[in-house]
């Protein structure tokens, strides 16, 4: 019997419970977008669509920013996979993806499997473009940080340079690279407009 659609349904329910009230930009709507893009990219790249969809659904349950520790977060996910009797090999693959896909200052090694590359790309696309900009300011506000300060390192605008503008060149799949281009260009145009409004002496 094929349990895949039942696992997806259960994962949806579980993640909605876990992340439903999140206001840091990792809410259910983020998961839903990442999941849809992961499926779309997986189809284009001939990856295992089910593994990509399940990993996309579960990818932020273990996020360190939302858990006391990464290990504790990962234990929650492995507990869920066990409790729902997901096949061992699929469960291990999903765990590998979600435990290694984080940006981590660009320091993590490349994803090992095609499915990992797909889910990482889908998550990174949601950090770019109009939505990426909105999430960055939401996250920054959630942290109590400033929008912009010329001399401060931990502002929302600083995050564009620390991470967002680097992501385009870190995309794994050719389809996601294509999608990242226009999102990247939109962020660059946004920053130019931002500085023009910030300082009357900038033209
Ligand atoms: P990943 O899942 O790759 O580790 P994060 O969870 O760190 O990515 O980031 C997801 C999104 O949260 C970012 O794209 C950004 O919008 C926002 N975010 C994360 N860190 C910061 C930060 N220091 N300042 C502003 N926004 C941030
Ligand atoms: Ni995410």
């Amino acid at each position: 019997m094929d349990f895949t659609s039942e696992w997806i349904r259960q994962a949806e329910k579980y993640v909605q419970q876990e992340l439903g009230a999140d206001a840091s930009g990792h809410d259910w709507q983020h998961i839903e977008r990442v999941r849809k893009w992961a499926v779309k990219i997986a189809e284009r790249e001939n990856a295992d669509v089910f593994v990509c969809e399940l990993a996309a659904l579960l990818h932020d349950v273990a996020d360190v920013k939302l858990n006391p520790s990464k290990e504790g977060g990962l234990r929650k996910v492995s507990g869920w996979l066990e409790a729902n009797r997901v096949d061992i090999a699929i469960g291990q693959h999903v765990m590998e993806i979600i435990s290694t896909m984080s940006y981590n200052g660009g320091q993590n090694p490349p994803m090992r499997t095609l499915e990992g590359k797909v889910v990482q790309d889908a998550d990174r696309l949601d950090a770019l473009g109009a939505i990426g900009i909105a999430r960055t300011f939401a996250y920054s506000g959630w942290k109590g940080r400033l929008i912009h300060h010329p001399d401060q390192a931990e502002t929302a605008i600083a995050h564009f340079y620390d991470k967002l503008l680097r992501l385009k060149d870190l995309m794994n799949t050719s389809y996601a690279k294509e999608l990242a281009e226009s999102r990247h260009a939109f962020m660059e145009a946004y920053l130019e407009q931002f500085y023009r409004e910030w300082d009357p002496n900038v033209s």
Side-chain angles (χ1 to χ4, degrees), residues 26 60 63 65 102-103 123 127 132 135-136 139-140 145 159 163-164:
H26 299 81
D60 269 339
D63 196 300
K65 286 187 279 327
S102 165
Y103 179 67
D123 192 33
R135 290 181 69 218
T136 296
Y139 182 88
S140 230
R145 292 178 180 161
H159 190 62
K163 175 176 167 187
L164 308 186

XYZ file of all heavy atoms in Angstrom, residues 26 60 63 65 102-103 123 127 132 135-136 139-140 145 159 163-164, ligand 1:
171
model
N 9.339 32.211 9.562
C 9.394 30.763 9.351
C 8.021 30.139 9.619
O 7.915 29.014 10.091
C 10.433 30.121 10.277
C 11.823 30.621 10.035
N 12.271 31.801 10.541
C 12.844 30.105 9.323
C 13.526 31.995 10.154
N 13.900 30.989 9.420
N 11.880 23.304 8.747
C 12.114 24.338 9.757
C 11.676 23.940 11.164
O 11.864 24.711 12.097
C 11.436 25.655 9.354
C 12.360 26.553 8.538
O 13.596 26.354 8.624
O 11.863 27.426 7.816
N 14.724 24.115 13.220
C 15.590 25.304 13.120
C 16.084 25.748 14.500
O 15.300 25.874 15.430
C 14.819 26.443 12.438
C 15.753 27.546 11.958
O 16.464 28.129 12.803
O 15.792 27.816 10.749
N 16.902 28.581 15.474
C 16.345 29.843 15.928
C 15.015 29.636 16.648
O 14.568 30.490 17.378
C 16.164 30.793 14.744
C 17.494 31.357 14.251
C 17.336 32.418 13.193
C 17.113 31.901 11.797
N 17.771 30.646 11.432
N 20.995 24.138 6.126
C 21.005 25.515 6.601
C 22.188 26.305 6.019
O 23.225 25.735 5.686
C 21.067 25.485 8.125
O 21.415 26.741 8.615
N 22.023 27.601 5.918
C 23.038 28.458 5.286
C 24.343 28.470 6.089
O 25.427 28.307 5.526
C 22.480 29.881 5.138
C 23.450 30.858 4.524
C 23.851 30.721 3.201
C 23.969 31.926 5.260
C 24.745 31.619 2.634
C 24.853 32.825 4.695
C 25.239 32.668 3.388
O 26.123 33.565 2.822
N 14.163 26.572 -0.391
C 14.226 27.381 0.832
C 14.959 28.687 0.544
O 14.557 29.755 1.007
C 14.943 26.581 1.925
C 14.802 27.221 3.303
O 13.747 27.838 3.573
O 15.741 27.094 4.116
N 14.151 33.246 0.388
C 14.916 34.300 1.054
C 15.233 35.433 0.081
O 15.813 36.441 0.462
C 16.210 33.726 1.627
N 11.584 37.610 0.013
C 12.804 37.610 0.817
C 12.980 38.930 1.563
O 13.363 38.948 2.741
N 10.493 39.050 4.430
C 10.887 38.158 5.529
C 12.055 38.732 6.327
O 12.126 38.572 7.542
C 11.247 36.777 4.983
C 10.070 35.998 4.463
C 10.507 34.640 3.964
N 10.931 33.760 5.040
C 11.943 32.904 4.956
N 12.649 32.818 3.850
N 12.242 32.122 5.969
N 12.967 39.384 5.620
C 14.133 39.938 6.305
C 13.721 41.024 7.301
O 14.205 41.048 8.433
C 15.137 40.491 5.263
O 15.590 39.391 4.483
C 16.314 41.170 5.918
N 11.870 39.354 10.225
C 12.802 38.672 11.139
C 13.543 39.689 11.996
O 13.692 39.524 13.215
C 13.799 37.833 10.337
C 14.766 37.054 11.198
C 14.451 35.773 11.653
C 15.993 37.602 11.580
C 15.332 35.069 12.453
C 16.877 36.898 12.377
C 16.556 35.633 12.815
O 17.425 34.943 13.607
N 14.001 40.751 11.350
C 14.758 41.783 12.044
C 13.905 42.447 13.134
O 14.382 42.680 14.248
C 15.182 42.827 11.023
O 16.524 43.094 11.124
N 15.719 44.501 16.006
C 16.852 45.187 15.373
C 16.403 46.370 14.524
O 15.232 46.486 14.172
C 17.615 44.206 14.481
C 18.306 43.151 15.289
C 19.020 42.175 14.385
N 19.690 41.161 15.175
C 20.080 39.983 14.702
N 19.857 39.676 13.439
N 20.688 39.123 15.478
N 21.845 42.425 6.457
C 21.597 41.015 6.122
C 21.612 40.759 4.608
O 21.945 39.659 4.168
C 20.257 40.574 6.726
C 20.025 39.102 6.637
N 20.832 38.177 7.241
C 19.086 38.385 5.972
C 20.400 36.966 6.960
N 19.338 37.058 6.199
N 24.140 37.815 3.538
C 23.610 36.565 3.010
C 22.849 36.695 1.683
O 23.204 36.043 0.703
C 22.685 35.929 4.070
C 21.974 34.687 3.606
C 21.150 34.071 4.733
C 20.200 33.025 4.217
N 19.287 32.547 5.267
N 21.806 37.531 1.667
C 20.848 37.460 0.555
C 21.487 37.644 -0.822
O 21.167 36.906 -1.756
C 19.721 38.482 0.763
C 19.010 38.426 2.126
C 17.832 39.386 2.156
C 18.552 37.010 2.445
P 18.376 29.001 6.709
O 17.072 28.240 6.802
O 19.059 28.862 5.375
O 19.296 28.794 7.892
P 17.547 31.306 8.014
O 16.496 30.571 8.764
O 18.771 31.778 8.732
O 17.974 30.502 6.739
O 16.930 32.554 7.371
C 15.676 32.546 6.808
C 15.269 33.954 6.584
O 15.148 34.646 7.828
C 16.321 34.781 5.846
O 16.314 34.635 4.497
C 15.944 36.160 6.258
O 14.828 36.608 5.555
C 15.631 35.942 7.694
N 16.832 36.147 8.499
C 17.678 35.221 9.008
N 18.694 35.801 9.687
C 18.475 37.130 9.579
C 19.145 38.303 10.064
N 20.266 38.227 10.798
N 18.614 39.510 9.763
C 17.489 39.619 9.032
N 16.812 38.568 8.562
C 17.282 37.350 8.817
